[in-house]
């Protein structure tokens, strides 16, 4: 096992970080928070110039054929920038699902368009709770030459804009066109305004069944890969909030002294650094496992989610505390990271859910 990045991987990180530093100032993030659409020109540059949407897609489907380690590097930088985009829903969730299914026609038809950024797709699984392993009530019924879906999906990332929606129903996975009849999309107000989510209602909605020998196994696999990908975003955000706090402690003067000279503030900064070191190592392990030892992925995915989610929230909360009153103001960016940290912590289930999953997989 090699947890250190190669020079090529470090170069990837440097180029992606510089791109986001130059192209995604906080003013762009705040424009989305205020209601603007995702930046279409930025998406074209991300997918066209950098090829990010196809990074982990096999070359045979128009991608770059990189691994989950490389994708986690890119997602870390997206988390640092609080990037509002369709990358997670389309290039992570939808691409991973298509690769895990046994439907070659769907792969050949959709993956090249997802890799090029021309097609925005997403995956709809959660219903009454955020968990992906709870009971699925969405019903699929054969109708004529095809199928129709009836039911409701909640917390669908980019569900209001995706042109292709992969839906997990009671008898497997189905592909639904974004313009299909009987599909109602309702944008939801969430804690994190930088990530768009929606509720989808299906009423006799035409759908195409996607081939899969074991849909439950596919769901478990894509949930594990999603856990690793989300953890990468979280580690990136954790690193950025830590840096914000340390930088502030170096310039903020209180009672005639820099606040960084007070022991309590030093300890807080050190605690954040320790959280970053630990979560970075766990993330690197989980991404390496995803590429090299898939049999261990279920345990590694549970470990990374149970470790990273609470750490990011703790560091984001500490960032607000050590910024004093300014951290609570709308004008400061700290609260945006705080909201992203809390939202991501709950996205695929609670921390307790994640710990129970880890205990089950360890046989405790």
């Amino acid at each position: 096992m090699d947890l250190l990045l190669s020079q090529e991987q470090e170069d990837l990180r440097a180029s992606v970080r510089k791109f986001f530093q130059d192209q995604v100032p906080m003013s762009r993030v705040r424009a989305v928070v205020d209601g603007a659409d995702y930046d279409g020109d930025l998406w074209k540059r991300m997918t066209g110039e950098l090829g990010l949407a196809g990074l982990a897609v096999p070359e045979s489907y128009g991608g770059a054929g990189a691994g989950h380690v490389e994708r986690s590097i890119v997602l870390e930088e997206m988390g640092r920038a609080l990037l509002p985009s369709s990358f997670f829903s389309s290039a992570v969730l939808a691409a991973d699902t298509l690769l895990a299914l046994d439907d070659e026609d769907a792969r050949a038809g959709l993956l090249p368009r997802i890799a090029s950024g021309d097609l925005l797709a997403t995956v709809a699984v959660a219903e009454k709770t955020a968990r992906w392993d709870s009971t699925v009530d969405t019903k699929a019924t054969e109708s004529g030459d095809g199928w129709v879906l009836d039911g409701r999906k909640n917390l669908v990332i980019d569900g209001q804009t995706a042109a292709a929606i992969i839906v997990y129903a009671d008898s497997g996975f189905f592909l639904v066109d974004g313009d299909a009849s009987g599909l109602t999309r309702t944008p939801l107000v969430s804690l994190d305004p930088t990530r768009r989510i929606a509720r989808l209602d299906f009423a006799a909605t035409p759908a195409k069944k996607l081939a899969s020998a074991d849909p439950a196994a596919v769901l478990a696999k894509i949930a594990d890969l999603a856990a690793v990908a989300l953890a990468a975003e979280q580690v990136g955000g954790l690193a950025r909030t830590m840096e914000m706090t340390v930088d502030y402690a170096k310039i903020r003067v209180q009672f005639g002294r820099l606040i960084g000279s007070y022991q309590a503030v030093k300890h807080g900064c050190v605690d954040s650094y320790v959280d970053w070191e630990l979560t970075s190592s766990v993330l690197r392990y989980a991404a390496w496992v995803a590429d090299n030892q898939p049999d261990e992925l279920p345990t590694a995915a549970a470990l990374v989610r149970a470790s990273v989610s609470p750490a990011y929230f703790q560091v984001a909360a500490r960032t607000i505390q050590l910024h004093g009153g300014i951290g609570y103001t709308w004008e400061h960016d700290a609260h945006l990271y705080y909201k992203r940290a809390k939202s991501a912590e709950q996205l695929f289930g609670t921390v307790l859910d994640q710990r129970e999953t880890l205990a089950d997989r360890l046989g405790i």
Side-chain angles (χ1 to χ4, degrees), residues 61 64 70 83 90 104 116 147 154 179 202 221-222 255 272 276 278 282 314:
Y61 298 112
E70 287 76 15
L83 176 71
S90 193
E104 177 56 30
S116 68
W147 293 74
N154 268 313
D179 296 325
F202 305 92
K221 180 176 182 180
I222 63 173
F255 304 116
S272 295
W276 173 72
L278 291 174
V282 174
Q314 288 170 5

Side-chain angles (χ1 to χ4, degrees), residues 19 25 40-41 66 89 126 130 142 146 155 192 197 215-216 219 225 255 269 271 301 309 336 354 363:
F19 178 83
D41 291 336
S89 56
E142 286 193 84
L155 304 177
D192 175 15
I197 61 172
L219 179 63
L225 293 176
F255 304 116
C269 292
D271 288 342
S309 292
L336 292 176
Q354 296 155 17

